[in-house]
Amino acid sequence: MCNKSYVESNCKVIEFYQKTENICLVRLESKQISELVKPGQFVNVQVSDDKIPTPILRRPFAVSDVYGDIFEIIFEVKGRGTAILKNKMIPGSYFNISGPLGNTFFDMNSDRKKILLAGGLGIAPIKLLGKHLISLGKDVSLFWGNRDKSQFFDLQEFESMDLKLFVSTDNGSLGFKGNILDLLKNTQDSEDLKNADIYVVGPTVMMKAVSSYLHDKGVECQVSLEEPMACGIGVCQGCAVEKSDGTGFLLVCKDGPVFYSSKIKI
């Protein structure tokens, strides 16, 4: 029932960076996880310990990069669990982490152009995907949208990558003025979209809008969902998403987190 190609490891915090007011980037050491992880997969981080018995549930985070034996996660501080992680993730400390979990992005080896759309912190799984596609010699375009310029980080790193980078802000403080769908419409015509593999990660409302727009053009895309998870391996059934044909449900942690948008109800 559950994916056994994962490990549970006590991972050492190597580096911690506060990227924006609420976004943190952490690099942790685990040879096993780093060797196994593929673009799209996530890890489940244990927050509680002997000193802090709650919250009990682990927190899932997409792996955003890999450097040898070190893997990277990016998270936003928006609740008690992530606030605890921010304060506890000091270089030299250890966290019990299970992973890599879930499936991977599809069609990565095809010869088609790759269009990557990241809304906000959706940049985390998109970052690892983009680097992998570049290593395969693919033609990659990355679209990254935020509400304003203060939410961007590490732009120089993305600008130095062998891809075409497009950025947008709702208020026009950086790049194109408008949301990421407006930016996509402004730069890609129907033929561009029909001849590409399209990957979309971000807030649900953004993924729904983009996938609906593409569907109307007869274009498929892939989305990566983020849902609260208890176990992360398909046992608890707590992260169900309804199939688009209404015949049942799929589990985000086991069947996903990556899905073709036509297969589920976002």
Side-chain angles (χ1 to χ4, degrees):
M1 183 176 189
C2 60
N3 171 21
K4 284 297 183 183
S5 60
Y6 68 91
V7 298
E8 187 174 324
S9 177
N10 288 318
C11 303
K12 182 180 181 180
V13 177
I14 303 300
E15 296 175 294
F16 174 92
Y17 300 96
Q18 181 98 30
K19 289 297 183 178
T20 71
E21 182 179 358
N22 294 313
I23 294 175
C24 303
L25 184 152
V26 187
R27 295 186 179 126
L28 303 109
E29 186 175 37
S30 170
K31 177 180 176 65
Q32 294 171 299
I33 292 177
S34 298
E35 286 181 343
L36 289 171
V37 72
K38 295 178 175 60
Q41 293 186 296
F42 66 96
V43 294
N44 239 4
V45 181
Q46 182 176 312
V47 180
S48 60
D49 57 26
D50 293 339
K51 296 180 181 178
I52 304 175
T54 58
I56 297 173
L57 299 184
R58 292 174 180 249
R59 295 300 190 264
F61 301 107
V63 175
S64 56
D65 212 339
V66 176
Y67 309 86
D69 294 346
I70 295 170
F71 67 93
E72 175 186 283
I73 61 173
I74 304 171
F75 66 91
E76 181 180 8
V77 179
K78 55 182 181 181
R80 182 166 178 261
T82 46
I84 292 172
L85 287 178
K86 174 189 172 183
N87 293 327
K88 289 175 60 180
M89 281 196 163
I90 301 166
S93 60
Y94 286 82
F95 284 83
N96 186 273
I97 297 176
S98 57
L101 301 167
N103 65 355
T104 69
F105 289 107
F106 315 121
D107 306 321
M108 291 185 286
N109 289 310
S110 81
D111 292 331
R112 290 154 59 88
K113 176 182 176 181
K114 311 298 182 183
I115 297 178
L116 285 53
L117 289 90
L121 205 56
I123 195 64
I126 288 293
K127 178 181 178 182
L128 183 59
L129 173 63
K131 287 195 169 184
H132 179 69
L133 293 173
I134 290 169
S135 74
L136 296 176
K138 307 303 181 183
D139 180 355
V140 180
S141 295
L142 169 59
F143 295 75
W144 187 8
N146 277 299
R147 289 191 296 273
D148 61 66
K149 65 179 181 180
S150 68
Q151 296 173 304
F152 286 95
F153 56 92
D154 293 345
L155 270 178
Q156 288 184 333
E157 179 178 1
F158 292 102
E159 289 169 347
S160 68
M161 293 165 62
D162 187 16
L163 52 73
K164 304 176 188 71
L165 177 63
F166 304 85
V167 299
S168 69
T169 49
D170 293 351
N171 63 5
S173 55
L174 183 68
F176 177 84
K177 183 177 181 179
N179 61 42
I180 198 168
L181 179 54
D182 295 331
L183 175 59
L184 184 70
K185 292 176 180 178
N186 191 260
T187 56
Q188 307 293 307
D189 61 29
S190 295
E191 287 305 308
D192 292 327
L193 300 174
K194 289 177 180 177
N195 293 308
D197 294 315
I198 305 176
Y199 307 84
V200 188
V201 189
T204 300
V205 65
M206 167 259 188
M207 292 192 291
K208 185 173 183 177
V210 172
S211 61
S212 177
Y213 169 73
L214 294 174
H215 180 267
D216 290 344
K217 291 185 171 295
V219 177
E220 178 73 283
C221 71
Q222 299 172 38
V223 296
S224 179
L225 303 187
E226 181 179 298
E227 294 288 333
M229 299 176 190
C231 70
I233 56 174
V235 174
C236 72
Q237 309 282 299
C239 58
V241 59
E242 189 174 1
K243 293 181 181 180
S244 57
D245 60 8
T247 60
F249 294 84
L250 297 169
L251 299 177
V252 173
C253 70
K254 183 174 75 71
D255 301 308
V258 181
F259 300 92
Y260 287 111
S261 59
S262 62
K263 302 300 183 183
I264 57 170
K265 292 184 179 179
I266 303 176

